[in-house]
Amino acid sequence: MERELALEIVRATEAAALASSKWIGRGQKNEADDAATSAMREVLGTINMDATVVIGEGELDEAPMLYIGERLGTTFGPEVDIAVDPLEGTSIVAKGLGDAMVVIAVADKGALLHAPDMYMDKLVVGPNLKGKVSLDEPLESIIEKAALYNGKRIEEVTVIMQDRDRHEHFRQAAMNMGARVKLFEDGDVSAGIAAAVKSNPIDIFISTGGAPEGVITAAAVKALGGDMQARLHPMNEEETARVISMGIEDPLQLLTLDDLVKSDDCIFAATGVTSGELLDGVKFLTDDIVETTSLVMRSKTKTIRKVVAEHTLSLKPYLQKQEVNA
């Protein structure tokens, strides 16, 4: 892939973040998602690449744009697969809470797992634990290894997981050992990435959440030098059949980081919408100046860039429209 592609992709995440930020705290998650999706697709169409959406807003009959199989870009450039989440945390934006962001993963064609829209068990750790833990071992064992290899006491190890009843056994196991537990409501891409950042106080991410989000997370984890394992979690015979149709003979196969992202050259980009664990959200500095903060990472070079940008735009037409609607 062209190295210039990494910074071009950021333009798309910035545009989606700016578009969705107008809906922060307005209680309208669908409108926020639609705005982000439209803005992202418009910018992606201008980038010199021949891209196919492998993880997007849904199948063709479910989504008018950024649907699975849609081709994007000018077609003059590298042939790639892309996985997108135009607004990771639609409910977060609607409620005005933290940790909403826009994310895109790009890899060589055929490199990203075409994960179906179902649950996936996920484990993410940082570089110090790469190759040393398994999703199949008890959480207590993973915590002990995190303390050993990260140079901490058990009491200093932090495990992050989604605040759901299905994770109660993980929460109790961690707390019984004396480890710290950090819960989040929505948006597990941000939480998963945080566990892979070496300087972040979070040591372990463990949760059962969306499989598409798991593949996007894997692209970032690969760029950060961390490790991830996953297992698809079909809930019925129909979902089991879908997994088998993808070419995975054993629906309960343990998926490694290289199974999730087969290429050593992938790009991950994210722009914050509301401030959270990884990124600052969109900041309205004046009526016409808006600031965004983004991360863009490339696994081949292990380059991690933080991009803080100021955008000049007029919000007056939007504000006038709100006054009329009111």
Side-chain angles (χ1 to χ4, degrees):
M1 289 188 292
E2 304 288 340
R3 62 169 60 92
E4 291 82 4
L5 184 58
L7 293 179
E8 286 290 286
I9 292 298
V10 174
R11 292 197 299 113
T13 59
E14 288 175 341
L18 289 169
S20 61
S21 69
K22 299 173 184 179
W23 297 97
I24 294 173
R26 297 184 182 277
Q28 296 172 285
K29 67 177 185 178
N30 291 334
E31 287 79 359
D33 190 48
D34 289 346
T37 301
S38 297
M40 175 180 284
R41 183 176 184 270
E42 183 176 350
V43 175
L44 288 175
T46 69
I47 298 174
N48 287 328
M49 62 179 179
D50 184 357
T52 301
V53 177
V54 297
I55 290 175
E57 292 293 271
E59 305 289 345
L60 176 59
D61 59 349
E62 299 172 350
M65 61 182 72
L66 295 183
Y67 56 84
I68 297 169
E70 182 176 12
R71 291 184 65 185
L72 298 170
T74 64
T75 72
F76 299 106
E79 196 173 8
V80 297
D81 284 348
I82 64 173
V84 303
D85 194 339
L87 183 55
E88 214 247 340
T90 54
S91 296
I92 292 173
V93 170
K95 296 175 182 178
L97 302 176
D99 263 329
M101 62 183 189
V102 176
V103 293
I104 297 179
V106 183
D108 298 321
K109 188 170 181 61
L112 297 176
L113 179 72
H114 295 199
D117 189 10
M118 65 177 61
Y119 277 133
M120 173 184 275
D121 302 327
K122 294 172 267 191
L123 169 68
V124 178
V125 292
N128 291 344
L129 286 168
K130 186 174 178 63
K132 296 181 173 67
V133 295
S134 170
L135 187 59
D136 285 334
E137 66 182 296
L139 179 58
E140 291 89 342
S141 173
I142 299 172
I143 291 172
E144 289 175 349
K145 291 178 182 178
L148 175 63
Y149 291 104
N150 288 339
K152 297 181 176 182
R153 295 175 299 166
I154 294 289
E155 294 80 6
E156 297 170 330
V157 172
T158 301
V159 184
I160 191 167
M161 63 191 72
Q162 195 171 20
D163 189 9
R164 297 291 187 271
D165 289 344
R166 61 181 177 268
H167 300 139
E168 181 60 23
H169 63 295
F170 287 140
R171 190 179 75 87
Q172 287 295 334
M175 294 183 69
N176 288 342
M177 289 191 71
R180 297 169 178 167
V181 174
K182 184 177 179 67
L183 301 174
F184 66 92
E185 283 297 324
D186 295 295
D188 68 358
V189 174
S190 175
I193 295 170
V197 176
K198 194 171 183 179
S199 59
N200 196 291
I202 294 172
D203 301 277
I204 300 162
F205 166 87
I206 191 162
S207 265
T208 298
E213 291 84 354
V215 176
I216 295 173
T217 301
V221 172
K222 184 161 265 196
L224 288 164
D227 205 2
M228 179 173 178
Q229 290 187 357
R231 177 179 284 111
L232 290 168
H233 196 111
M235 303 292 287
N236 51 49
E237 291 183 3
E238 181 182 351
E239 290 190 349
T240 298
R242 286 192 67 189
V243 175
I244 295 173
S245 71
M246 293 166 50
I248 300 177
E249 295 181 5
D250 179 6
L252 300 181
Q253 174 187 337
L254 182 65
L255 301 169
T256 67
L257 185 57
D258 288 335
D259 291 322
L260 298 167
V261 182
K262 298 179 179 67
S263 173
D264 288 328
D265 191 5
C266 63
I267 295 167
F268 173 86
T271 300
V273 180
T274 59
S275 296
E277 196 73 48
L278 283 178
L279 294 166
D280 289 335
V282 175
K283 296 179 181 178
F284 295 84
L285 304 181
T286 69
D287 283 348
D288 298 310
I289 304 296
V290 182
E291 181 182 277
T292 58
T293 303
S294 305
L295 276 179
V296 57
M297 304 181 281
R298 188 179 180 201
S299 62
K300 184 176 182 178
T301 59
K302 293 296 186 288
T303 303
I304 302 172
R305 289 184 173 91
K306 187 174 185 180
V307 181
V308 179
E310 288 189 0
H311 308 265
T312 302
L313 69 162
S314 175
L315 298 176
K316 292 179 182 178
Y318 166 76
L319 295 175
Q320 289 169 356
K321 182 180 179 181
Q322 291 299 308
E323 291 172 3
V324 170
N325 291 341

